[in-house]
Amino acid sequence: MILTLKTGVTEKEINEIKNKVKELGYSPEISKGLDKTLVLVKGERAIISRDIFESFEIVESITPISEPYKLVSRKWKKKSIINVGGVKIGSGNIVFMAGPCSVESLENTMEIAETVKAAGATILRGGAFKPRTSPYSFQGLGEEGLKYLRKAADKTGLKVITEAMNIEQLKLVVQYADIVQLGARNMQNFELLKACGYVDKPILLKRGFSNTIKEFLMSAEYIASKGNTDIILCERGIRTFSDYVRFTLDISALPVLKKLTHLPIVVDPSHPAGNRDYVEPLALAAAAAGADGLIIEVHPNPQKASSDGAQTVYPDQFKEIVRKANAIRELLK
Amino acid sequence: MILTLKTGVTEKEINEIKNKVKELGYSPEISKGLDKTLVLVKGERAIISRDIFESFEIVESITPISEPYKLVSRKWKKKSIINVGGVKIGSGNIVFMAGPCSVESLENTMEIAETVKAAGATILRGGAFKPRTSPYSFQGLGEEGLKYLRKAADKTGLKVITEAMNIEQLKLVVQYADIVQLGARNMQNFELLKACGYVDKPILLKRGFSNTIKEFLMSAEYIASKGNTDIILCERGIRTFSDYVRFTLDISALPVLKKLTHLPIVVDPSHPAGNRDYVEPLALAAAAAGADGLIIEVHPNPQKASSDGAQTVYPDQFKEIVRKANAIRELLK
Amino acid sequence: MILTLKTGVTEKEINEIKNKVKELGYSPEISKGLDKTLVLVKGERAIISRDIFESFEIVESITPISEPYKLVSRKWKKKSIINVGGVKIGSGNIVFMAGPCSVESLENTMEIAETVKAAGATILRGGAFKPRTSPYSFQGLGEEGLKYLRKAADKTGLKVITEAMNIEQLKLVVQYADIVQLGARNMQNFELLKACGYVDKPILLKRGFSNTIKEFLMSAEYIASKGNTDIILCERGIRTFSDYVRFTLDISALPVLKKLTHLPIVVDPSHPAGNRDYVEPLALAAAAAGADGLIIEVHPNPQKASSDGAQTVYPDQFKEIVRKANAIRELLK
Amino acid sequence: MILTLKTGVTEKEINEIKNKVKELGYSPEISKGLDKTLVLVKGERAIISRDIFESFEIVESITPISEPYKLVSRKWKKKSIINVGGVKIGSGNIVFMAGPCSVESLENTMEIAETVKAAGATILRGGAFKPRTSPYSFQGLGEEGLKYLRKAADKTGLKVITEAMNIEQLKLVVQYADIVQLGARNMQNFELLKACGYVDKPILLKRGFSNTIKEFLMSAEYIASKGNTDIILCERGIRTFSDYVRFTLDISALPVLKKLTHLPIVVDPSHPAGNRDYVEPLALAAAAAGADGLIIEVHPNPQKASSDGAQTVYPDQFKEIVRKANAIRELLK
């Protein structure tokens, strides 16, 4: 961490800063340029004390040198492969997670499970607890939905991923699901992140639609810091001024995250698209840019889906996406 | 709600849509332009069924006519004044909420309470549970901190506002605080919103840093829909490309919200500033644009604050802000 | 175009609006819902009069039904193929445009031309006039640079694309180049757009880094409205809060533009990457999402490049990009 | 400027960087932390060579220490007051610039000039050359419009500000206007900026709606570097995800710019508002936050204005804004 001091700082003030650096257990090094005085604060985790130095009147700005995360960093480990009962995420192949936005009935869940399995999916997705912008919208089937997912998965040999929105739901979800999903709106729900750190199931952490890459990794670090390092990151679009699609898929997050972290990265092309016509091109772009998996909303009759029908693809469209994405991955290996 | 249908739609398809509209209890009206066919879906709450129509292949786009919120709308009520044990928010005066970012000790909380009271504050703020981006940062004193706040407030005659980040904390916070704060990162924590709807304390709801005005009001609607309509909105800066300040204070949210809702609107100038030098100009801008209150981080010794020291003002600075903001408000009455 | 009128509007006011609609040559249709009165303004180009209706006190909001562009719309034409002296852009194959950021010397330009040609490029790019954020940075070689580009292209059989930043430069550029590039910062330089409409060379129009898809197409319409419809669109990243890369490549712009316009779409992966390590994944994502071309900065010795060295790839990296992008395209045909 | 080198860099590579630093005339200083090696590049204008160091493979990131602008910096001068024929901008008072969006006729311009003068304006604004998103919209009266402005101003004793969009228009505008306006879309039209540097009239430079504060000051530096330091900065709203207003007024730009530059700062509340109801609160917020001037669209009959009618205030509204803004300024002096 480098502290840039304000012009006109006195020797006395520089000494105060130096003492504070030492008091916190780091080592200071002073460098005087033509114009500015810099203080290098040496210490592997010095950045954690950023707040303290920011509050000093004479500190003009602070430059981090080391990243504030550790367990999720590639410095710690080169590559993680998450094994979900035999389905390996991060191994070089693309893992397909597919299913309806919301779980609707056992019959319907069974039908979709068989369809997506036949098309190439290995993990069944579906919401039993739904985060809805409006209090008047359908809020999900709850535990009943979890049971349907489990049954449909067991019958077809798929694994289950589903979302928990709070600690109570988390306790239920871990009983039925193989992967716990944390939604974009909960990426900085720090209490929920900590609770996920004590769970013995992999966590798929969706990036908040307005969170930086650094905040994304800090949230993963929250989970890892409590003991659970089976974390799958998921890019699902960010909020920008662009208004033709629901969210702007940040395709560059893929190579950037691959450089910074050992965790696998999955892409959700459905939510940024907001329209089923755009799901395939976004999914294929993600495959070409190195995604470890794709999580896609599929329904045999989107007009009858309880939520998100506009962005839900038909089973035939999903089949095409699987075929093409796999071919791209083979080609790039 | 207006459905714009795709070019080349058939009579049969138009009839299917008409039937769906009727089935849902609304009334359809067809209008054919030179180029496009429009379906007007009449019904006060028709917008709630938006999802269903979006999933139809032949629907090109949907235009809402009525807003999706109701209880928080100005159509429902002209103006709400929230009475917090005698402190009236929304009455035309500016209410000042001030205190440290985090509660640190009883002694320190007492000292700050007396200081901000003397400067003109009527509500004491301070965090006992802290949402921190890093798992390695100070996480707050918990219930002990709540006790300090209550004691300091009771001794000085101030009211207390403090944040709850989950349902467990909410149960504790309502025992000690006069206003419950929901932080920006929890603006779409729908389970927590619902729980706040059953509480008999006013809720200060901070706008998520990437949420639209409509989403903000929908989150307030969540609380109101469960019975608690004592809601105070708080604008605290949005995330944009601009990088000299921590967040961009959306000053236009004030007149926009005043047009759409009857709820009072408070501004937090500290978090967008990220630097104490910018707190006063942002606070005065908010006063001039019609804010019902200001919530400001104040500490006698920001260098020793446990968090957010850089944006915390000195007591003398706070006193000046109160004096000037009140003078602006008097002038504009 | 639909006008939503304010609640409480009188019959007299509705008649004033109706008369204005007729006066402008459109046909009005009134629809009264439970809550709001709507005026449908029928007429193919009615949206052009949007401004006029917006200024009426009683108009609450306006919803466009038809798009404001015409010549560049897919309603006008299904697909354009731009023929640049035999190089066809928009034909289904990916066209590669490559070269240095700035033209530096004849020798160097010759060397790069041969290199990129050997790797698979058919068009040589390079800046003779450089838009630089700082007045103290290298500003380009001017006409001398144009001559080097032409010579290098003629010798190798490549075509030339280079940027013009104003009308004087445009007059020079058309004498030497095969395609005129308009940079992102000039996307709404309406005088320059009009001038390009009178030129008999194809125009590559880069999307402004903060412009919507609609504004992008309106700028293309400016050129087309003056007679030149040989327009190539170029997505080059948008400005968002995300700070690990220089700009966020808006990959969804590809399928969205393909739905709205008949013009070919090229992607520049170099500028959004800002770092050569990210150029390949972004280029391949663009290939998978349907780009008609890629424009990439290549230099044998980026450390010695006069500008943009950080994002400039080595010739070997470029060769790999060409090979993989072509393979992806073949596979998806 | 500080270069952070990649982990694992060799002594040989460090020496190459050191030599490059010396070759460019700066002085290098090496600092080895626990984890990273840093190179401090000392030299007042070292940041200008940023590009060169970015292209080195072993450079991981670069941190500027000094700002890249000089003539517009507060290090150079404390405060500039621009004297426009007796109207002083930057003196502590608020200067009001008002008039129609577009000049329409001599009669109409005369009427508005008298109205805004009576209300307290000292400068008449109005567009003769209009930047319009659509090629089919009204494009302005051209030189005829400039004549009307001049006549109206001379008769009423006002000064004139009007926009030039290219170098040809600039030549005309300087003959008629007292201040040349450069619009937001031309903030990075570097050729036009340079041309303004040779003009002997003050320049009002509007911030591009997606430009950072640093880019804004670099564009001012372009003008100043050619000799014209009579520059007035204008904040007019930035593009964000927020969609209830046309642009988000970046109110924090005022205190930030006041810290960085000696140039006066004017605010345009009309364009971000996009709706006349929001102009007053935004104008007063700007007055409270320290604006040196306000530029506002005023028209006696906005429904008949040729452009921007929705955001144009009535003369009575303008009068109220002047009265209140002046009162706020007096109070804060």
Side-chain angles (χ1 to χ4, degrees), chain B residues 160-310:
Chain B
V160 166
I161 179 170
T162 195
E163 178 168 355
M165 297 193 297
N166 61 34
I167 294 172
E168 286 66 43
Q169 292 176 6
L170 178 64
K171 288 174 193 160
L172 279 173
V173 165
V174 293
Q175 294 171 38
Y176 296 96
D178 301 295
I179 304 174
V180 179
Q181 179 179 315
L182 288 197
R185 288 169 187 75
N186 278 317
M187 197 205 85
Q188 292 196 313
N189 184 333
F190 301 115
E191 298 301 308
L192 190 53
L193 292 172
K194 283 184 214 168
C196 286
Y198 294 110
V199 149
D200 67 347
K201 292 277 167 77
I203 309 295
L204 181 135
L205 178 67
K206 287 195 156 188
R207 179 180 178 187
F209 54 71
S210 230
N211 287 108
T212 61
I213 295 287
K214 189 187 281 185
E215 289 169 343
F216 194 13
L217 290 174
M218 287 308 291
S219 287
E221 184 83 8
Y222 251 99
I223 301 171
S225 72
K226 300 300 173 195
N228 186 359
T229 53
D230 279 355
I231 304 164
I232 303 152
L233 302 175
C234 179
E235 161 64 31
R236 47 76 73 206
I238 59 174
R239 186 161 271 176
T240 71
F241 67 86
S242 194
D243 54 4
Y244 260 89
V245 286
R246 197 168 280 187
F247 295 96
T248 299
L249 182 67
D250 182 7
I251 195 78
S252 60
L254 282 164
V256 169
L257 285 168
K258 288 198 169 289
K259 198 180 236 183
L260 299 174
T261 181
H262 54 86
L263 301 173
I265 303 132
V266 158
V267 168
D268 169 355
S270 304
H271 284 84
N275 178 322
R276 74 179 67 92
D277 295 349
Y278 304 146
V279 174
E280 180 180 308
L282 296 186
L284 301 186
D292 294 301
L294 288 166
I295 180 163
I296 296 178
E297 291 182 349
V298 182
H299 196 288
N301 194 346
Q303 280 87 327
K304 298 217 168 133
S306 312
S307 52
D308 275 356

Side-chain angles (χ1 to χ4, degrees), chain A residues 313-328:
Chain A
V313 297
Y314 293 97
D316 280 357
Q317 290 178 306
F318 176 61
K319 210 168 160 180
E320 271 300 283
I321 293 171
V322 173
R323 188 182 66 76
K324 291 175 182 171
N326 278 334
I328 289 174

Side-chain angles (χ1 to χ4, degrees), chain C residues 57 136 210 221-222 276, chain D residues 57 132 136 210 221 276:
Chain C
E57 272 293 328
Y136 309 119
S210 230
E221 184 84 7
Y222 251 99
R276 74 179 68 92
Chain D
E57 271 294 329
R132 302 305 299 274
Y136 310 118
S210 228
E221 184 83 8
R276 74 178 67 94

